[in-house]
Amino acid sequence: MTDKQQRNAAREFAEKWAGRGYEKGESQPFWMQLLSEVYGVEHVADFIKFEDQVHLDHTAFIDGRIRSTEVLIEQKSIEKDLRKPIKQSDGTMLTPYQQAQRYIIGLPRSEHPRWVVVSNFREFLVYDMEQPNGEPEQILLENLEKEYYRLQFLVDMKSEHISREEEVSMKAGEIIGAIYDAMLEQYGDRDPETLQQLNILCVRLVFCLYAEDAGIFTRDQFHDYLVKHDTEMMRIALLQLFEALNTPIEERSKFLRDDLKAFPYAKGVFAEYIDIPQFTPELRELLLQKASLDFDWSEISPTIFGAMFESTLNPETRRSGGMHYTSIENIHKVIDPLFLDDLKLELEDILEEKVEKKRQKLLSDYQDKLASLTFLDPACGSGNFLTETYLSLRRLENRVVRAMTHGQAFIGFEEFSPIKVNINQFYGIEINDFAVTVATTALWISESQMLAETEQIIKHDIDFLPLKANANIHEGNALRIDWETVVPKDKLNYIIGNPPFIGYSNQSKAQKEDILSVFVDKNGKPFKTAGKIDYVAGWYYKASKLMLGTKIRAALVSTNSITQGEQVAFIWKPLKELFDIHIDFAYRTFRWDSEASDKAHVHCVIVGFSNVLNTKKFIFDNDKKKEAQIINPYLIEAPEVFIESRNKPLCEVTNMITGNRPADGGNLIIEAQDYSDFIAKEPASKPYIKKLLGAAEFINNLKSATIIQYTIKGRFMSR
């Protein structure tokens, strides 16, 4: 079944079942038709089983199970609210998900599902049992035509929502890359000013392409406006469109053409004038057909696409293979233990409150709290940490809105907006000017997508344009600017991010100077060891300095070198002595997979730290979470003792001048495979040949090379 055929099948299925749904009589045909007609299952009666018995304190029946893809289904009638408790046959009150969880307990361990789907015919809530306390994915029947792929896991264990988002976002990056290359040929020059104009043009094209697919413009409005112009007039048409989009509706000329008047005012996006080169027939076809008609931009993940976009258009990342981004899973390793897990638990407690008036007050206060939180990513790149954090807060807020409105149409919308969380709460610092623009665009796209989800809850349209908030992404070198000029520390709650991975031996002269300017003692002088620490340490220092005397908490991704060897004392001892920070949680060494085409791997740690007292402390190691009383900078539960180099021995022995350091150019080294032959020819030399052990040989118990030792004045000296 092709993508187009599957879309059509999903639309027909949704139309057939719209407004229908009785649990007892229609559950089985609903699921059998969904699997056979939309997902192409041929022998559907063998694929899904209904009414499987499960033995609890009584015999119960599971509505549906798909064992091959590890799915359990709990079906309710169309009038049931899937998020509210329902009275069970034994008198208990359980939500459909809680009911499914109870069934799972009664199943053998080997038959536990990966996915739980609860449905009321109108919507599907999908729970991933890898994260049983996480938020469910919601898929509405009315949106199945566009979102059918989100249920693909029903028939394919390898297909998950995130895989689709990656696929779509990568495709979007490829399309923009093709436009970029074609436009660059037309610009001709490759000087910095031209490249900057081309970057801005590509961002604007993405905005328009996304807007016409996501409902910000009318459907295909951007395409239908441009297609009326031949190749020679495309340049003029775009310039006129950008000018109209940058002009408030009430200030536009009364003589403006109707097709331009129809576009909304996009405050801020099109403010700067840029020149546009002439189009070619191929470039016109690429923009109108491949980029507009053949691709749905509303499906992209802003968290992934922002990085894809930057990697595609940034010459430096294109040369290195491109497509570098932090996976959503890894972002949550930072933000979940830092704040998101606690926010989720707080909301669950509020929703358990039985008294309606009190629950409404708690929900309102909780929403205000979400809207008051402020975040800084001081190495934000294309904004994926900020974007995913915004999406996570808005998903929580949408749960609040749903609980406050009880799923009814929102009343009084004209006087009061149900949305309080906005992108003004998110601040970033980024040294690359193009990445700054991309990060801003990614946050705008995130805002649009979450707005659409809120509209479905309140059953009321909300205008996205003109933009009511702006992302606070600042261009600059984060190690050279005062972070309080970006966001005052009395306003800031959390610092997050993934600063650059550059070891001290690989730093440029300018980067060395950056570190020396940051890592200073109380008198403002660089520490003697500041020249031997990784670049990321500068972010730890500046974050620790900013949070002194506040309740700001931070979590940063780093290479594991800052928690090993001599760097531990060089970095963490000053931070402890100057700012009295402590580690709140840590992910011990794990492989941080790059999504680049070269699939480079880096071994990383995540460190959460603050001045906040009495925080619960956790160590994550090999997917296991352990509560700890204290976490030292080596990321183990042990006292904060720093292992430092010393030049005086602990007892009366001869001073060590240098360690084992072969310095003869390799001329006195005998390889292991040559040793036997050498001894056979020169047996008298055996007492003078010793094993040469390096760290790799010692740690891994490998056969070593051997080194000749010779005597000078009766003493053996290593060479």
Side-chain angles (χ1 to χ4, degrees):
M1 192 181 299
T2 66
D3 181 75
K4 187 173 182 180
Q5 289 171 331
Q6 200 164 6
R7 283 177 179 273
N8 290 336
R11 186 190 70 252
E12 292 172 1
F13 176 82
E15 290 172 351
K16 182 192 304 183
W17 284 94
R20 294 172 52 192
Y22 175 58
E23 177 184 352
K24 298 300 181 183
E26 295 183 304
S27 293
Q28 294 187 20
F30 176 81
W31 281 97
M32 292 180 76
Q33 289 174 27
L34 176 68
L35 292 168
S36 61
E37 295 172 9
V38 180
Y39 296 99
V41 176
E42 293 184 0
H43 305 291
V44 68
D46 297 326
F47 186 75
I48 183 172
K49 298 299 181 184
F50 300 102
E51 302 297 327
D52 270 3
Q53 287 189 12
V54 59
H55 299 286
L56 308 171
D57 53 357
H58 62 285
T59 299
F61 297 90
I62 300 172
D63 290 336
R65 287 178 72 191
I66 307 175
R67 296 195 183 192
S68 62
T69 52
E70 301 178 3
V71 176
L72 185 148
I73 298 163
E74 180 59 30
Q75 184 69 37
K76 298 299 176 188
S77 295
I78 193 168
E79 75 279 0
K80 298 293 185 182
D81 187 332
L82 297 178
R83 297 165 183 83
K84 288 186 176 180
I86 300 170
K87 191 172 184 178
Q88 307 297 304
S89 58
D90 60 359
T92 58
M93 298 293 291
L94 298 173
T95 65
Y97 178 53
Q98 290 170 334
Q99 188 177 344
Q101 286 179 306
R102 188 164 68 168
Y103 293 157
I104 293 171
I105 294 172
L107 292 173
R109 178 70 181 172
S110 61
E111 296 183 21
H112 282 200
R114 165 68 191 276
W115 309 99
V116 169
V117 182
V118 299
S119 173
N120 60 3
F121 296 89
R122 289 184 294 107
E123 66 176 322
F124 306 86
L125 296 183
V126 180
Y127 295 84
D128 182 352
M129 300 312 290
E130 291 290 320
Q131 299 176 324
N133 297 319
E135 289 296 301
E137 292 276 355
Q138 181 195 44
I139 301 102
L140 297 179
L141 180 68
E142 63 189 71
N143 295 335
L144 195 63
E145 177 184 359
K146 289 181 64 174
E147 299 188 348
Y148 69 88
Y149 62 88
R150 295 176 65 188
L151 289 175
Q152 192 72 28
F153 67 88
L154 293 170
V155 296
D156 181 3
M157 288 187 67
K158 295 180 181 179
S159 180
E160 302 176 26
H161 184 198
I162 188 64
S163 299
R164 171 68 176 188
E165 288 184 331
E166 288 178 355
E167 177 188 342
V168 171
S169 299
M170 288 180 182
K171 181 66 175 176
E174 291 172 4
I175 291 171
I176 287 298
I179 292 175
Y180 180 94
D181 290 339
M183 281 289 187
L184 186 58
E185 288 296 319
Q186 293 305 105
Y187 271 106
D189 296 330
R190 295 172 184 254
D191 57 89
E193 183 178 349
T194 298
L195 292 176
Q196 184 178 25
Q197 295 223 1
L198 174 54
N199 289 339
I200 294 172
L201 174 59
C202 287
V203 167
R204 291 182 181 180
L205 292 176
V206 166
F207 186 94
C208 292
L209 290 164
Y210 176 82
E212 69 175 354
D213 286 341
I216 300 169
F217 298 167
T218 59
R219 185 71 185 177
D220 295 333
Q221 185 178 4
F222 179 59
H223 169 273
D224 293 347
Y225 164 74
L226 287 179
V227 78
K228 294 182 293 186
H229 300 82
D230 60 25
T231 301
E232 291 185 0
M233 290 300 296
M234 285 280 284
R235 172 183 177 275
I236 300 300
L238 276 177
L239 288 171
Q240 291 176 340
L241 174 60
F242 292 169
E243 182 181 2
L245 287 165
N246 191 49
T247 305
I249 292 174
E250 64 275 10
E251 296 179 15
R252 294 177 180 177
S253 169
K254 64 180 180 180
F255 302 112
L256 192 68
R257 295 200 317 271
D258 288 342
D259 56 354
L260 286 172
K261 282 182 182 178
F263 283 93
Y265 170 45
K267 176 184 175 184
V269 184
F270 300 90
E272 181 181 350
Y273 175 81
I274 60 170
D275 204 358
I276 300 174
Q278 288 290 350
F279 273 63
T280 64
E282 293 77 19
L283 182 51
R284 182 179 187 275
E285 177 73 8
L286 177 60
L287 179 60
L288 294 178
Q289 188 65 42
K290 187 173 182 179
S292 181
L293 290 183
D294 292 349
F295 189 76
D296 187 348
W297 290 82
S298 67
E299 294 183 9
I300 64 176
S301 160
T303 303
I304 300 171
F305 175 67
M308 294 292 181
F309 194 10
E310 184 197 354
S311 293
T312 301
L313 304 191
N314 186 329
E316 292 183 9
T317 51
R318 290 190 96 185
R319 280 196 297 271
S320 65
M323 305 236 175
H324 294 262
Y325 75 93
T326 305
S327 70
I328 292 175
E329 177 187 2
N330 280 340
I331 291 172
H332 278 276
K333 287 179 180 175
V334 173
I335 66 176
D336 286 5
L338 183 63
F339 61 87
L340 195 58
D341 285 344
D342 288 342
L343 288 175
K344 289 179 178 179
L345 288 173
E346 184 178 352
L347 180 55
E348 294 300 332
D349 289 342
I350 292 171
L351 294 174
E352 291 295 320
E353 172 58 50
K354 304 300 182 185
V355 179
E356 173 71 13
K357 187 174 181 180
K358 184 177 180 181
R359 185 173 66 255
Q360 289 287 336
K361 175 65 167 60
L362 290 172
L363 286 168
S364 179
D365 291 345
Y366 177 82
Q367 187 179 18
D368 288 338
K369 176 180 177 177
L370 294 180
S372 72
L373 299 176
T374 306
F375 302 84
L376 170 66
D377 183 345
C380 71
S382 54
N384 49 2
F385 274 81
L386 295 175
T387 300
E388 185 61 25
T389 300
Y390 170 79
L391 291 169
S392 298
L393 288 193
R394 283 287 285 112
R395 290 183 185 115
L396 290 176
E397 183 176 40
N398 277 345
R399 288 190 65 193
V400 171
V401 172
R402 184 180 289 109
M404 293 179 75
T405 60
H406 301 291
Q408 304 300 312
F410 190 80
I411 306 299
F413 177 80
E414 290 74 12
E415 292 79 30
F416 175 73
S417 171
I419 302 171
K420 295 183 179 180
V421 175
N422 67 76
I423 59 177
N424 275 338
Q425 298 168 234
F426 299 85
Y427 293 79
I429 304 172
E430 170 54 39
I431 197 169
N432 180 283
D433 61 337
F434 181 59
V436 170
T437 307
V438 172
T440 303
T441 306
L443 280 165
W444 282 337
I445 292 173
S446 302
E447 187 178 31
S448 166
Q449 291 184 344
M450 295 311 301
L451 203 64
E453 291 189 18
T454 307
E455 287 178 336
Q456 293 174 352
I457 295 169
I458 65 173
K459 301 176 177 62
H460 200 297
D461 292 337
I462 307 172
D463 290 331
F464 177 66
L465 295 177
L467 297 171
K468 301 170 183 63
N470 288 309
N472 300 296
I473 311 297
H474 295 254
E475 182 183 343
N477 181 341
L479 297 189
R480 291 289 187 170
I481 66 175
D482 181 356
W483 292 3
E484 280 208 83
T485 63
V486 176
V487 53
K489 67 180 182 181
D490 59 358
K491 181 181 178 181
L492 183 62
N493 298 100
Y494 299 104
I495 300 170
I496 56 178
N498 180 7
F501 296 168
I502 306 173
Y504 68 84
S505 60
N506 295 320
Q507 292 166 19
S508 66
K509 181 180 178 181
Q511 290 164 342
K512 286 282 189 189
E513 292 172 352
D514 286 343
I515 284 291
L516 292 174
S517 72
V518 169
F519 235 83
V520 296
D521 61 23
K522 59 184 179 182
N523 297 316
K525 294 182 179 180
F527 286 95
K528 292 180 181 179
T529 55
K532 292 187 175 182
I533 58 178
D534 288 357
Y535 198 48
V536 71
W539 276 262
Y540 278 88
Y541 187 101
K542 296 203 72 164
S544 299
K545 183 178 180 180
L546 187 69
M547 66 174 55
L548 183 63
T550 73
K551 293 185 178 180
I552 298 170
R553 297 178 63 200
L556 300 176
V557 183
S558 316
T559 45
N560 61 4
S561 53
I562 70 164
T563 61
Q564 299 174 352
E566 64 179 1
Q567 283 204 62
V568 175
F570 295 168
I571 296 171
W572 294 96
K573 191 174 182 181
L575 298 185
K576 181 69 178 177
E577 292 176 348
L578 291 174
F579 311 119
D580 194 31
I581 65 160
H582 55 76
I583 296 176
D584 298 329
F585 71 90
Y587 273 84
R588 302 195 68 203
T589 299
F590 66 99
R591 196 174 75 177
W592 184 275
D593 291 346
S594 164
E595 295 301 331
S597 57
D598 56 10
K599 287 291 179 184
H601 302 306
V602 182
H603 288 87
C604 291
V605 295
I606 296 171
V607 183
F609 56 102
S610 73
N611 289 132
V612 181
L613 299 176
N614 303 319
T615 56
K616 284 189 174 182
K617 296 174 173 57
F618 297 96
I619 296 174
F620 299 84
D621 191 7
N622 292 323
D623 296 324
K624 295 179 181 178
K625 179 180 178 182
K626 172 190 173 185
E627 187 168 358
Q629 296 301 311
I630 186 172
I631 305 173
N632 72 17
Y634 299 93
L635 305 190
I636 59 176
E637 186 177 11
E640 291 183 331
V641 176
F642 296 100
I643 303 172
E644 301 179 76
S645 63
R646 56 185 296 147
N647 55 19
K648 293 182 179 179
L650 296 173
C651 56
E652 293 296 326
V653 294
T654 305
N655 285 353
M656 179 184 290
I657 305 303
T658 184
N660 185 349
R661 186 181 66 187
D664 65 307
N667 295 311
L668 297 179
I669 294 177
I670 301 175
E671 299 297 336
Q673 62 266 30
D674 301 325
Y675 176 72
S676 297
D677 290 342
F678 189 90
I679 295 300
K681 293 176 181 177
E682 297 288 345
S685 66
K686 190 171 184 179
Y688 306 105
I689 302 175
K690 307 297 182 183
K691 283 187 177 180
L692 172 62
L693 290 178
E697 290 84 9
F698 182 78
I699 292 171
N700 299 297
N701 194 27
L702 301 175
K703 290 183 179 180
S704 68
T706 55
I707 183 168
I708 296 176
Q709 292 190 315
Y710 65 94
T711 182
I712 299 177
K713 294 182 180 179
R715 287 186 176 180
F716 283 106
M717 299 292 292
S718 176
R719 291 289 289 173

